[in-house]
Amino acid sequence: MNLFTHVNATTIAEATAATAKAGTAPIAGGSDLLTYLRTMCSPNAPTNLVNLKTVVPSMAYIKEEGGFLKVGALTTLTAIANDSTTLAKYTALAQAALSVASPELRNQGTIGGNICQKPRCQYFRFDNDDFKCLRKDPAGTCFALTGVNTYHSVFGPLNGCVAALPSDIAPVLVAMNANIVTTVKTWKAADFFVVPNVADARREQINALAAGEIVTEIQIPTPATGSKSAYMKWSFRKSIDFPLVSAAVLTTVAGGSVTAASIVLGAVYGQPRVATGAQTALVGQAINATSATAAGTAAATGTTVLPTPGGTNSNSYKVQIIKVMVQKAVLATA
Amino acid sequence: MSLVAPYTVVNDPKLHDPMAAMIVTGRLDFPDDRLAGRKLWAAVKTSTNAHGSILADAGTITAVNVGNAGSAYTSAPTVTFTGGGGTGASATATLSATGTISGITLNNAGSGYTSAPTITLTGGAGTGATATVAFTMGKLHIDTAAALAFPGVRGVFHAGSFPAGSSAAGAFATSWTNYGVVIAAVVADDWETARWACNLVNVTYNSPLPVVFDADAAMSASSPLSGRQATGNVTTSTQTRLDAAGNGAAYGLAHCDKTMQFTTDWTPTQQHNPIHPKTGLAYFTGDPGSQTVQGTGDCYGFSVTQNAMSHLNSLYSSVNMPQQQTHYSAHACGGGFGDGESTVQMSMAAVLSQALGGAPVVLKLSRKDHNHIGGRQYDTKGVFNIGYNKDGTIVAWQGGWYGNGGGASGMWYGPRTTYKIPYIDWTAYNIYTNTPARNSWRDVADIEGGGAFERCFDLIAADLGMDPYALRQKNLMGVLDHDQDGTKLIWSDKCVNDCLAQAYSASGYATKWHAPNTKTLPDGRKHGIAIGGRQDSHGGMSGGGRYGHIMMGGTHTNGSVEMYMGGSRASMGPQAAMMVVVAEVLGLPYSAVRLAEWGNGDITLADGMQNGSSHTPGAGSAFYMAALDMRTRIFNRACGLAPLNAVVPAGVTQAKATAVLSTVFPGGTIASFTITNGGSGYTGVPAVTISGGGGTSASATAHVTNGVVDSIVVTNPGSGFTTVPTVVISAVTPDLLDAANGSIFLKSDSTKTVTHATCTSGWDPQISVAQGWGSYLRTAAVGDSPIGSACNSTGAAAACIEVAVDTNTGEVEILSYVNATSTGTTLFKPGVQKEMMSGNEAGIGQWLFYGDVYDPTTAAVLQMSHGCFSHPTAMDLYPTANTYIEVQHNSPSGPLGCHGMAEPASGEGNVIWQAIYNAIGVFPDHNHGAGSPNVILKALGKAT
Ligand SMILES: Cc1cc2nc3c(=O)[nH]c(=O)nc-3n(C[C@H](O)[C@H](O)[C@H](O)COP(=O)(O)OP(=O)(O)OC[C@H]3O[C@@H](n4cnc5c(N)ncnc54)[C@H](O)[C@@H]3O)c2cc1C
């Protein structure tokens, strides 16, 4: 375990002040952060933790208000998955929350932590920082590019790194055009999930949060009439697994055909990947097997299978799975 | 429970000696108050490349010592130095008048040696002489200053910290052929500090050699060497089965209807001991000595193990202490997919403790270190040429079994012992690459031999248009057939036939089987079904954590017995069953048995149990045997106590003896006994009671031959005797006694009783440690094999598995999974059922989810088959799909009809792969990786 200090913040102001100090990070459920610290995988690991769970008023809530579903950053994934309003109207979010890890981790893990988790590449996470990877050190190398990359990006490197987005929640927030409210500003999800360049000190992040900036709330616009959303996740195991391919889809149908479609892929690139071709293919069509298949095929264009060293398996299966997951998610919104 | 066991308890007598060094206790945290607040913690620094060595300054050869003087030399042999990295050393041997080597003079110490060179003595016409080099290691380029300066650090140690050639130095690598070997250890006030400070130890490596990663490439003549073998990367062994005329597989292949060539894929590798790394602890009381001078104090060690004896050995050899000054406690665990053993941890903790003046040191590996140091299973493939007749009879089998990391010959166990194959010509290729050290997990129920040979059977069946079950039936050895190769007679319980039959009928295979790739389900997925099974390579061993350990007497003065047991954290069932066994054997109420440990062999959170080779809750013979031993001891003591000591059974003449006191200073002890009357009619061993004379603690054991006491051996000379004590040899012997409900009584007169409480009062601590029955002697006649003859005793299992394969996603759903495992006589049903459940989980995990994944450039373990969240759990079972059948039979190899379940409880996971073949008509290629959906998509042409 990396050695660290720990303080309980009682107000968000206190938390903000504490996290402004260099080498400090907030801790929510700790399900990602503690595993990261325990492996001592990064030289950039925080040495001070500020506990957000003790902040009053609590940031764990779900409410519909002013045209949004407002979810406090400290809300657990279990609470989201079990919330009937979320399931009925913001279905993809509930489905994504339910798909994360295992019941124990969903009880512990929060939505804020989920969208701020670190990359899951095996080289990045390797104990004791044995692999000096690019995401940890700009002078480092992307080992996965030439090494084991079975679970990695099929849309090429992002800032030189081929790690795939690990978050189940992130593609849903982009697909549903969510706002991410922080102690500094309100972000659009699409702007939030922009991975900083490796030259930037925030290179380990999967989002563009500034140092010391804390997520306080997620706001999801209430979908227009005729809208439905769905989240499909594919992984080796159903019981507990990170996504290897996922698709978040929000469609609005009027008069029997799609008037708006938002299709976002997860776990196939370093950040949520908007499948614009698939969206275009779907708009104007009725949702059926043909249009869903066409959307799937469009979503899987432009892929690049990474070169595979002998004795390891390639990531090419992701191309096939993108097609099927998009197809299934589109059909689920019918 | 019947106490009549028609076999002899064959145990290592050392284990029954209360003075023996080994006490298998079972406390996870060492139960010694002396350690409170005094424990130091150690963590290790490991290599970060697969192939390297630490830069070192040259060392010095200080002397050459004769090991074996040899014989019949007529002239002095030539002394040659090889290896060690240096040049120029030379020495001359001198000859004694009797033709032995009397000494070796070092003429030139040479230069540039970084490790001790090896010495060979050639010529001189004699034989057997050996010599060793005394070597002082040069300074290793390990900078420990920053780690030592870190607050809380108490010491940093590496090979250079200890005398060259000592076992402590040898515990730390200076050159290596694997990622993650131990180079240094840091001892600190707490483990996190120790672990953190390991990062501050700076090691300068020599440039690593190229890593040999690919097992196929490693076999080519031009491959770089992995350094794992003295020469080359491959070792081989062979097995042939010839007919009476000496004809082998070539002949068989020429005399059959058809032949088929098979090259199977490289299967995944798996972890062997995947559960969280355990700690090892050691400390000294008194003078700990050093690596070169033995201490006068005592060394205490604690570890987690399924093999306590080997851990005890490694403890005293690691600290250069005599065995009787070394005390060892173990937390018993299983192996296989069960717990992590902690030999390395304990012996290294002992070395560190010794270096720190005897302070208690707990060594714990991080999960990464555990993953690299712990055992793994090799990836395997088969290249076969099989000859068969049109009716499905297998005639000849020629080919190679390939194991990356060794153990390939273990793979052939399954087909050899399950099926009749008249002509065999097999070569095992053990290939050594730089991926982490492997252990074989043999052939059992697993990806190795099973995966290789079962698929051949399915492919032959497809070629013949035959049902694969019918093909198996055609070739199965009969239950009473003789072992086809070994010296043993027939199998004690060749139960695989029964397992296959039961799996077959419970699954409905007869109506569900179809030719490969011919059935589509209404939802568009492909349906597949397959069956397979085999006799396992082990399963005779049994008992809770292999060793049964119980204790009476000492502080347990109320007649109670304490039991120490590993097992499963998730369930107390097996412990309860073993407690019942112990209580009934000793004639105690159940409440008088106390359990001093819980177990740690759970493979899963929910299902518990581990399905390794040793912990077999179905049997528990180790506790049965320990209890039998204790029964003899306490009955023997009862014979010497009133009123039993006054009873003279009919037909017995009571023996008499007198004690002889020692005349040797300081005196006051018993030197020997003089038998004045050997008595007669003894049917067992009487008690020898010593009283009076002013002394204490003396004890003795009588020996009886033909009903007569012919000697009395002093087991404790006692002390303080001023006059000759009174010696009474009982007329009653243990065989005349029985026990029930806390009382020991004469069988012929149950009013003559002594309570267990009376017996244990003032009794020295008695420890019975027994192994499960491991030497398989028949307890019942089977076929032409009489009682008492040797036999193979193994487990067996079969599975029938039905799957649905989604050809768009490669996803596999298990529709039904019938696991039929031979259990002998089941003692503890829920335990046995859970063992099988774990087997199904392991099967599913291995065949559908994750294998170990190594980095091709460093061979570091990037992903574990069973580590962290990749560990299969009960959540991976399709709850309604699983059927567990205990194939019960009265095993003739063990008392109570029990035997171990062994590893077949692992659920024959390879049958999943066969079922996938039946669904899609092709066997997917693991390519060393996981059996996950991506490789199924590849087989379907939907991924590359
Ligand atoms: C075995 C395992 C399986 C997993 N499987 C999945 C999976 O399938 N899908 C998936 O998406 N995730 C998975 N995870 C990752 C993780 O558990 C979840 O993403 C979880 O939601 C993280 O939330 P947390 O509250 O525990 O975050 P923490 O661990 O507390 O924090 C994670 C990161 O976010 C930062 N952070 C936390 N809260 C805030 C905030 N309000 N503002 C700014 N920064 C913040 C922390 O500083 C830290 O860097 C898995 C983790 C494990 C260990």
Side-chain angles (χ1 to χ4, degrees):
Chain A
M1 184 72 93
N2 285 93
L3 306 179
F4 58 85
T5 64
H6 182 270
V7 291
N8 290 326
T10 49
T11 63
I12 193 69
E14 208 178 294
T16 310
T19 47
K21 284 193 217 110
T24 306
I27 177 163
S31 63
D32 179 55
L33 186 53
L34 291 176
T35 52
Y36 164 86
L37 294 174
R38 190 175 168 213
T39 51
M40 303 196 293
C41 65
S42 170
N44 311 312
T47 47
N48 310 297
L49 301 186
V50 179
N51 184 6
L52 300 182
K53 293 184 288 297
T54 42
V55 166
V56 180
S58 160
M59 288 188 280
Y61 56 81
I62 305 174
K63 59 188 176 192
E64 257 191 322
E65 194 177 82
F68 290 98
L69 181 80
K70 295 183 175 175
V71 183
L74 271 279
T75 310
T76 65
L77 298 167
T78 298
I80 296 168
N82 289 347
D83 184 69
S84 54
T85 308
T86 310
L87 186 60
K89 291 165 72 177
Y90 309 85
T91 313
L93 180 65
Q95 288 172 336
L98 184 65
S99 78
V100 172
S102 62
E104 294 93 331
L105 284 158
R106 292 195 291 273
N107 290 342
Q108 185 72 18
T110 66
I111 188 167
N114 189 288
I115 61 174
C116 299
Q117 60 181 295
K118 307 271 187 195
R120 270 282 154 185
C121 170
Q122 297 136 318
Y123 292 101
F124 176 88
R125 294 272 176 167
F126 202 85
D127 294 50
N128 301 71
D129 192 26
D130 282 1
F131 291 95
K132 308 275 176 228
C133 106
L134 195 62
R135 274 312 261 284
K136 294 184 276 190
D137 178 352
T141 318
C142 180
F143 293 94
L145 208 50
T146 54
V148 175
N149 48 41
T150 317
Y151 312 128
H152 290 66
S153 168
V154 276
F155 288 101
L158 177 59
N159 302 334
C161 160
V162 291
L165 176 77
S167 165
D168 276 305
I169 300 293
V172 175
L173 299 191
V174 176
M176 301 191 86
N177 192 27
N179 294 328
I180 291 155
V181 184
T182 72
T183 43
V184 175
K185 64 187 231 190
T186 297
W187 297 77
K188 279 279 156 212
D191 302 329
F192 181 81
F193 293 109
V194 170
V195 176
N197 197 283
V198 288
D200 191 307
R202 299 168 301 153
R203 69 184 76 86
E204 288 190 6
Q205 293 178 192
I206 61 164
N207 59 40
L209 273 184
E213 186 176 359
I214 295 172
V215 177
T216 53
E217 187 176 88
I218 317 293
Q219 300 175 340
I220 303 179
T222 306
T225 314
S227 300
K228 268 191 179 175
S229 66
Y231 181 72
M232 288 286 164
K233 168 175 176 173
W234 189 87
S235 52
F236 287 172
R237 296 166 72 193
K238 304 280 173 261
S239 56
I240 167 172
D241 232 339
F242 281 93
L244 290 172
V245 174
S246 70
V249 172
L250 172 69
T251 58
T252 309
V253 175
S257 59
V258 175
T259 55
S262 183
I263 302 178
V264 181
L265 306 177
V268 292
Y269 186 50
Q271 61 192 46
R273 181 156 182 113
V274 181
T276 42
Q279 293 174 171
T280 311
L282 195 60
V283 172
Q285 308 293 319
I287 297 178
N288 54 35
T290 311
S291 63
T293 305
T297 306
T301 51
T303 52
T304 319
V305 171
L306 292 169
T308 309
T312 70
N313 285 314
S314 92
N315 65 349
S316 67
Y317 65 95
K318 288 197 175 191
V319 180
Q320 163 71 11
I321 301 298
I322 290 171
K323 291 180 198 163
V324 183
M325 287 302 111
V326 168
Q327 182 196 33
K328 286 189 170 181
V330 168
L331 284 174
T333 64
Chain B
M1 170 184 297
S2 161
L3 294 178
V4 182
Y7 73 108
T8 319
V9 178
V10 185
N11 275 323
D12 179 350
K14 197 162 53 194
L15 298 180
H16 295 285
D17 178 2
M19 305 298 284
M22 183 173 73
I23 300 172
V24 182
T25 68
R27 310 270 174 142
L28 209 52
D29 195 17
F30 201 75
D32 191 327
D33 289 344
R34 285 173 291 186
L35 305 187
R38 294 211 297 123
K39 274 185 249 176
L40 298 176
W41 289 79
V44 294
K45 163 90 182 173
T46 51
S47 66
T48 53
N49 55 11
H51 214 312
S53 59
I54 306 174
L55 203 64
D57 294 338
T60 314
I61 300 171
T62 53
V64 180
N65 302 315
V66 178
N68 185 331
S71 62
Y73 286 93
T74 53
S75 62
T78 309
V79 184
T80 319
F81 294 81
T82 45
T87 51
S90 69
T92 316
T94 38
L95 207 59
S96 75
T98 55
T100 59
I101 308 300
S102 56
I104 298 177
T105 312
L106 183 66
N107 303 322
N108 186 341
S111 62
Y113 289 96
T114 50
S115 63
T118 37
I119 267 202
T120 39
L121 301 171
T122 46
T127 53
T130 59
T132 53
V133 168
F135 183 77
T136 308
M137 202 181 287
K139 188 179 170 307
L140 290 175
H141 287 231
I142 301 183
D143 183 355
T144 58
L148 274 169
F150 195 74
V153 170
R154 300 301 185 100
V156 182
F157 301 91
H158 51 79
S161 314
F162 302 97
S166 64
S167 48
F172 297 93
T174 53
S175 66
W176 51 86
T177 54
N178 290 140
Y179 198 98
V181 303
V182 178
I183 293 171
V186 175
V187 186
D189 291 338
D190 64 82
W191 188 65
E192 295 297 354
T193 302
R195 212 180 139 214
W196 177 253
C198 284
N199 292 332
L200 304 175
V201 177
N202 257 315
V203 182
T204 313
Y205 302 116
N206 282 316
S207 318
L209 296 167
V211 169
V212 182
F213 179 72
D214 184 276
D216 285 317
M219 286 190 285
S220 98
S222 58
S223 168
L225 296 180
S226 69
R228 301 280 294 277
Q229 296 295 305
T231 51
N233 293 331
V234 185
T235 63
T236 57
S237 59
T238 55
Q239 153 127 33
T240 52
R241 188 181 287 161
L242 314 175
D243 65 15
N247 295 312
Y251 174 87
L253 287 167
H255 291 83
C256 57
D257 298 342
K258 302 189 87 171
T259 61
M260 198 190 274
Q261 277 81 41
F262 303 86
T263 298
T264 71
D265 62 320
W266 281 102
T267 60
T269 56
Q270 310 282 342
Q271 282 158 280
H272 196 132
N273 279 312
I275 306 204
H276 197 274
K278 294 294 181 290
T279 58
L281 161 81
Y283 69 98
F284 290 80
T285 54
D287 169 19
S290 71
Q291 287 286 309
T292 46
V293 181
Q294 273 178 9
T296 53
D298 287 276
C299 173
Y300 292 83
F302 165 79
S303 71
V304 178
T305 183
Q306 65 165 343
N307 191 351
M309 221 51 216
S310 77
H311 281 217
L312 171 64
N313 293 342
S314 75
L315 177 64
Y316 60 79
S317 59
S318 68
V319 288
N320 181 31
M321 292 287 270
Q323 186 177 348
Q324 60 272 25
Q325 282 162 244
T326 316
H327 308 275
Y328 169 62
S329 307
H331 175 73
C333 75
F337 273 109
D339 223 321
E341 297 220 2
S342 61
T343 346
V344 180
Q345 288 93 315
M346 178 184 63
S347 42
M348 195 170 281
V351 160
L352 300 172
S353 169
Q354 189 174 46
L356 288 163
V361 174
V362 185
L363 191 142
K364 180 176 165 184
L365 299 179
S366 70
R367 179 174 276 285
K368 173 190 117 183
D369 296 331
H370 175 70
N371 277 326
H372 287 89
I373 294 166
R376 322 194 79 75
Q377 272 169 267
Y378 45 58
D379 40 342
T380 62
K381 75 170 185 180
V383 180
F384 306 130
N385 189 5
I386 301 181
Y388 48 97
N389 288 335
K390 285 182 185 145
D391 67 355
T393 312
I394 307 285
V395 176
W397 193 323
Q398 192 179 50
W401 302 80
Y402 294 74
N404 180 3
S409 60
M411 292 158 58
W412 63 42
Y413 189 92
R416 183 168 72 72
T417 56
T418 308
Y419 295 101
K420 290 177 282 199
I421 310 163
Y423 297 101
I424 283 178
D425 184 355
W426 286 337
T427 304
Y429 297 90
N430 304 303
I431 305 154
Y432 294 89
T433 62
N434 292 115
T435 47
R438 308 281 177 78
N439 293 325
S440 64
W441 205 41
R442 298 156 294 264
D443 61 305
V444 285
D446 200 12
I447 49 182
E448 301 168 350
F453 83 79
E454 295 275 21
R455 76 175 60 187
C456 297
F457 283 9
D458 286 359
L459 290 166
I460 290 170
D463 178 52
L464 295 172
M466 216 174 150
D467 174 345
Y469 180 71
L471 182 99
R472 284 170 173 78
Q473 285 298 328
K474 182 128 214 127
N475 293 285
L476 268 179
M477 279 171 69
V479 173
L480 296 183
D481 285 354
H482 280 244
D483 183 341
Q484 298 174 92
D485 303 300
T487 52
K488 304 270 169 67
L489 298 176
I490 58 173
W491 298 97
S492 71
D493 40 28
K494 190 173 171 297
C495 206
V496 63
N497 307 38
D498 211 5
C499 294
L500 275 164
Q502 296 216 30
Y504 175 82
S505 58
S507 61
Y509 181 96
T511 54
K512 288 179 179 170
W513 183 79
H514 49 79
N517 195 17
T518 54
K519 184 171 175 185
T520 305
L521 294 165
D523 63 10
R525 293 182 299 169
K526 303 293 283 192
H527 173 271
I529 185 165
I531 195 162
R534 78 208 67 124
Q535 199 71 27
D536 185 24
S537 59
H538 46 332
M541 192 69 78
S542 56
R546 186 175 286 186
Y547 290 93
H549 171 232
I550 60 176
M551 183 172 177
M552 292 187 90
T555 53
H556 307 292
T557 53
N558 60 354
S560 64
V561 57
E562 192 154 281
M563 242 180 83
Y564 304 89
M565 183 176 181
S568 166
R569 226 178 245 139
S571 154
M572 293 301 286
Q575 287 86 337
M578 295 314 112
M579 289 170 84
V580 169
V581 169
V582 170
E584 293 191 2
V585 170
L586 284 167
L588 284 167
Y590 298 138
S591 56
V593 187
R594 302 190 302 168
L595 185 67
E597 182 47 296
W598 58 94
N600 58 357
D602 45 336
I603 183 171
T604 67
L605 295 176
D607 277 347
M609 302 306 194
Q610 63 96 28
N611 46 48
S613 50
S614 294
H615 181 78
T616 50
S621 69
F623 279 95
Y624 179 65
M625 290 173 137
L628 280 181
D629 175 70
M630 189 62 85
R631 181 178 155 101
T632 309
R633 290 166 186 243
I634 198 165
F635 279 17
N636 186 276
R637 182 160 167 86
C639 292
L641 298 174
L644 297 174
N645 58 1
V647 174
V648 182
V652 176
T653 310
Q654 192 163 7
K656 292 194 169 31
T658 52
V660 179
L661 293 185
S662 171
T663 54
V664 178
F665 179 81
T669 59
I670 294 177
S672 61
F673 294 89
T674 306
I675 298 169
T676 52
N677 178 351
S680 65
Y682 279 102
T683 50
V685 177
V688 180
T689 317
I690 302 157
S691 58
T696 55
S697 302
S699 62
T701 308
H703 286 259
V704 175
T705 307
N706 295 329
V708 176
V709 175
D710 59 359
S711 70
I712 299 175
V713 176
V714 179
T715 47
N716 186 345
S719 62
F721 290 101
T722 49
T723 57
V724 175
T726 306
V727 178
V728 176
I729 300 170
S730 68
V732 170
T733 49
D735 53 301
L736 304 177
L737 305 181
D738 203 346
N741 208 24
S743 284
I744 297 163
F745 54 86
L746 201 61
K747 281 186 211 164
S748 58
D749 176 3
S750 60
T751 62
K752 297 278 190 307
T753 68
V754 184
T755 65
H756 289 75
T758 306
C759 289
T760 53
S761 175
W763 201 23
D764 284 344
Q766 303 293 311
I767 295 152
S768 293
V769 182
Q771 280 183 281
W773 49 88
S775 64
Y776 314 115
L777 298 179
R778 289 194 176 286
T779 61
V782 177
D784 59 1
S785 171
I787 292 176
S789 56
C791 60
N792 288 312
S793 176
T794 58
C800 182
I801 297 171
E802 208 183 335
V803 297
V805 181
D806 184 331
T807 53
N808 284 321
T809 60
E811 287 166 305
V812 175
E813 186 187 346
I814 306 279
L815 300 176
S816 105
Y817 193 148
V818 179
N819 176 348
T821 298
S822 151
T823 61
T825 300
T826 300
L827 277 189
F828 175 56
K829 188 177 174 73
V832 162
Q833 291 269 327
K834 285 185 167 193
E835 183 105 348
M836 283 193 266
M837 260 183 220
S838 297
N840 284 22
E841 283 164 20
I844 290 170
Q846 284 180 345
W847 287 87
L848 293 181
F849 302 142
Y850 291 101
D852 289 352
V853 173
Y854 304 103
D855 174 49
T857 355
T858 59
V861 182
L862 290 179
Q863 170 191 289
M864 293 78 69
S865 59
H866 291 68
C868 188
F869 64 91
S870 57
H871 200 114
T873 79
M875 293 191 293
D876 293 307
L877 288 180
Y878 303 79
T880 52
N882 297 280
T883 307
Y884 307 103
I885 302 174
E886 294 155 55
V887 180
Q888 288 210 51
H889 55 114
N890 189 6
S891 172
S893 66
L896 314 180
C898 295
H899 71 59
M901 289 172 74
E903 289 169 353
S906 315
E908 302 287 305
N910 56 283
V911 180
I912 298 176
W913 221 236
Q914 295 166 238
I916 293 169
Y917 161 74
N918 183 251
I920 63 173
V922 42
F923 274 106
D925 178 353
H926 295 86
N927 187 25
H928 308 265
S932 40
N934 53 331
V935 303
I936 295 166
L937 281 179
K938 199 167 143 189
L940 290 163
K942 293 182 177 168
T944 52

